[in-house]
Amino acid sequence: MDREKIYVSTKNGYKGDSGSEWRKRLETSLSRLEVDYIDFYNSHSLGWDAFQTGFGAKGGPIDEAQKAKDEGLIRYLAFSTHDSAANIINLINTGAFASMTLQYNILNRANEEAIATAHEKGMGVAIMGTVAGGRLAQPNEDIQKLRAGIAKSSAEIAIRFVLSNPGVSTALSGMNAIEQVEENVVTASRTEPLTPEEKIQVLESLEENKKLADLYCTGCGYCMPCPNGVDIPTNFLYMNYYRVYGLRDYARQQYAMLKEKSLEEMDVPSWADTCVECGECEPKCPQEIPIIKQLKETHSTLS
Ligand code: SF4
Ligand code: SF4
């Protein structure tokens, strides 16, 4: 096999500030993959806090990564992340990375500014969650409506939507049948993923769906930060998955993951049930959403 034609991408999950520990894991990656170099070496699930105290700390993994690049063991340093859009922009602005992998799909466009910032700086952008963990591929009346007259399946419209963003270099999509591989190859081979008119049609249809919901959180973030750490827009995003798009299992799963991530990081109790009802957020919401009441409903529905 011609090695130059294959791009190898993998992750290093080390979160501490020891360069030698990071290096040990790089050497494990190289030997397990049986390669002399890795094209894209990602710092796994990197957040801004972890960058400052771990990966990016002076004399830490970041210096070891530069050394590994000089030795030809890594071609491009990259990161994958689930952090907030603002923190992703902080990571981009460090100038340390050539590429990133992050969530973005037709239902969750919170990372659009981060993608544009990376694009401006010439970084590669890989998208995970393109088809929302396969949920956008499942037949659902509201999701099906989005593709009316544009695409054969909702998976196709989801991939075309992501690829039509000029900042996106590649879209990842899990596949478990050869037919899905074939369909995705055809979709990704299109010269124009979505025409500007088709994109407007999809976005208008999404807005229409949202307006039908009682809870019309635009994700603007004006209510933030919550002094108790509640991530209000993300909780409401998941409630919208449930209520507006009928993605019930997916919404519950995402909510459980939010709680799990918060517990892992201990000091960030971001899920809806941790609201202490201080009332600080409500006057700041331009949509006049009764946030406290809606958070309660979000928790009882999704937990
Ligand atoms: S009412 Fe709840 S969500 Fe709003 S600021 Fe207070 S603790 Fe945070
Ligand atoms: S201010 Fe209101 S609309 Fe904006 S994110 Fe917060 S709850 Fe949603």
Side-chain angles (χ1 to χ4, degrees), residues 82-110:
H82 294 276
D83 207 348
S84 66
N87 282 342
I88 295 172
I89 291 173
N90 287 336
L91 288 169
I92 294 167
N93 286 337
T94 62
F97 303 99
S99 171
M100 66 178 183
T101 300
L102 76 176
Q103 294 259 4
Y104 174 56
N105 61 51
I106 206 166
L107 299 181
N108 184 358
R109 296 161 56 211

Side-chain angles (χ1 to χ4, degrees), residues 10-15 21-27 29 41-45 55 61:
T10 192
K11 298 178 180 183
N12 185 325
Y14 178 63
K15 293 275 179 267
E21 185 56 37
W22 183 90
R23 170 76 180 215
K24 224 191 299 173
R25 293 182 187 222
L26 166 63
E27 282 165 7
S29 294
Y41 202 49
N42 290 270
S43 193
H44 169 63
S45 197
F55 186 83

Side-chain angles (χ1 to χ4, degrees), residues 13 33 41 53 65-66 81 109 112 115 129 136 142 164 175 185-186 195 210 216 231-232 258 298 300:
L33 288 164
Y41 202 49
T53 57
Q66 188 52 51
T81 187
R109 296 161 56 211
E112 242 161 34
I115 293 169
L136 280 171
D142 295 318
S164 71
M175 293 164 272
V185 167
V186 171
T195 64
K210 276 189 189 165
Y216 183 41
D231 186 341
I232 303 165
L258 182 69
T298 298
S300 66

Side-chain angles (χ1 to χ4, degrees), residues 6-283:
I6 308 284
Y7 292 89
V8 176
S9 173
T10 192
K11 298 178 180 183
N12 185 325
Y14 178 63
K15 293 275 179 267
D17 63 358
S18 158
S20 57
E21 185 56 37
W22 183 90
R23 170 76 180 215
K24 224 191 299 173
R25 293 182 187 222
L26 166 63
E27 282 165 7
T28 306
S29 294
L30 289 162
S31 76
R32 283 189 183 158
L33 288 164
E34 297 180 25
V35 292
D36 299 327
Y37 64 90
I38 291 163
D39 298 273
F40 299 101
Y41 202 49
N42 290 270
S43 193
H44 169 63
S45 197
L46 186 65
W48 179 231
D49 287 349
F51 178 86
Q52 293 175 96
T53 57
F55 186 83
K58 211 170 168 11
I62 195 163
D63 293 344
E64 204 55 51
Q66 188 52 51
K67 234 168 80 193
K69 266 181 78 179
D70 296 342
E71 290 169 47
L73 302 177
I74 301 170
R75 286 182 67 207
Y76 300 107
L77 192 58
F79 67 89
S80 66
T81 187
H82 294 276
D83 207 348
S84 66
N87 282 342
I88 295 172
I89 291 173
N90 287 336
L91 288 169
I92 294 167
N93 286 337
T94 62
F97 303 99
S99 171
M100 66 178 183
T101 300
L102 76 176
Q103 294 259 4
Y104 174 56
N105 61 51
I106 206 166
L107 299 181
N108 184 358
R109 296 161 56 211
N111 285 334
E112 242 161 34
E113 196 188 333
I115 293 169
T117 306
H119 184 54
E120 264 168 39
K121 294 187 186 289
M123 280 174 64
V125 176
I127 300 301
M128 58 178 152
T130 307
V131 193
R135 273 75 189 177
L136 280 171
Q138 289 170 2
N140 166 305
E141 216 178 284
D142 295 318
I143 300 296
Q144 294 289 353
K145 267 190 230 150
L146 297 177
R147 65 172 178 85
I150 299 178
K152 278 206 230 81
S153 70
S154 38
E156 181 191 324
I157 199 78
I159 294 171
R160 283 171 63 190
F161 178 83
V162 166
L163 291 176
S164 71
N165 184 321
V168 170
S169 320
T170 189
L172 312 179
S173 166
M175 293 164 272
N176 54 18
I178 196 72
E179 295 75 29
Q180 292 172 2
V181 178
E182 284 163 358
E183 183 184 322
N184 284 358
V185 167
V186 171
T187 303
S189 304
R190 297 175 68 102
T191 43
E192 188 174 47
L194 278 181
T195 64
E197 295 74 32
E198 286 170 338
K199 197 160 183 177
I200 289 168
Q201 183 186 324
V202 171
L203 292 177
E204 279 178 353
S205 176
L206 276 171
E207 287 307 308
E208 205 50 46
N209 271 5
K210 276 189 189 165
K211 280 182 196 144
L212 295 174
D214 304 337
L215 170 64
Y216 183 41
C217 171
T218 59
C220 67
Y222 293 147
C223 54
M224 298 287 281
C226 156
N228 198 44
V230 179
D231 186 341
I232 303 165
T234 299
N235 280 285
F236 288 166
L237 173 73
Y238 298 157
M239 192 58 186
N240 274 341
Y241 285 167
Y242 183 96
R243 197 157 29 188
V244 185
Y245 303 106
L247 298 167
R248 298 185 172 188
D249 292 344
Y250 182 55
R252 288 198 179 110
Q253 185 196 62
Q254 292 291 303
Y255 185 69
M257 274 170 64
L258 182 69
K259 184 168 176 178
E260 203 177 297
K261 193 174 157 231
S262 303
L263 288 171
E264 261 173 32
E265 293 171 12
M266 292 313 280
D267 55 337
V268 197
S270 58
W271 72 99
D273 192 37
T274 57
C275 167
V276 297
E277 302 183 27
C278 70
E280 208 174 289
C281 55
E282 289 195 349

